[in-house]
Amino acid sequence: MSQTVITRVSVVAAAVLGVCAIGSVILACSTSSAADAAVTQQSESLTAAAAVQDSSKFLPNTIHAYTATCDSTWLDAYWKEVNVDQTQLKALDKLKALGTPDAEIALVNEAHAKSYDLINRETRAMRLVLDAEKAPPT
């Protein structure tokens, strides 16, 4: 085999290896980006789920604090969450936007409905304290 043939075969082999290396780098980058996106989505889902849970705890805890202390700060915080912040609804919307499976959304919706069903009872507890303080109805 002549030196020219060996050189040509070496050049072709080097070119093929170079193309394979470039392809491997591109594939690794795209795979890494997909993994990063999945981790980001998982983190956002966990944050939204925690927000639902925290809000669900927040409402009864503020009522307990209000009925125990008669401090209107707790009453104001409660109604701010219900009427303004609406953390549960926003977190639920975020979970839907992230593509959370329908079965899981249904469970969160059920928990949300039960949490908001408590508002009638919690409102009654607030009213009893307000009546005891002789506060006018609002």
Side-chain angles (χ1 to χ4, degrees), residues 7-124:
T7 303
R8 287 182 183 158
V9 169
S10 297
V11 168
V12 170
V16 168
L17 288 174
V19 169
C20 288
I22 291 170
S24 295
V25 168
I26 291 170
L27 181 63
C29 287
S30 68
T31 302
S32 176
S33 295
D36 289 346
V39 168
T40 299
Q41 182 176 1
Q42 179 186 28
S43 176
E44 290 176 1
S45 291
L46 290 172
T47 300
V52 171
Q53 182 181 24
D54 291 345
S55 176
S56 187
K57 291 177 187 176
F58 178 77
L59 293 175
N61 287 346
T62 56
I63 291 305
H64 295 158
Y66 173 68
T67 57
T69 65
C70 297
D71 182 352
S72 65
T73 304
W74 294 110
L75 189 66
D76 296 338
Y78 178 90
W79 287 111
K80 182 177 179 285
E81 171 60 29
V82 170
N83 295 324
V84 179
D85 296 341
Q86 298 181 345
T87 305
Q88 282 188 11
L89 291 175
K90 290 176 184 173
L92 186 57
D93 289 343
K94 180 73 172 177
L95 287 170
K96 289 176 185 175
L98 289 169
T100 303
D102 290 341
E104 291 178 25
I105 293 292
L107 290 172
V108 176
N109 273 331
E110 181 182 347
H112 170 73
K114 288 179 179 179
S115 178
Y116 271 74
D117 282 345
L118 289 174
I119 290 176
N120 290 330
R121 292 180 189 154
E122 292 164 344
T123 302
R124 177 75 178 135

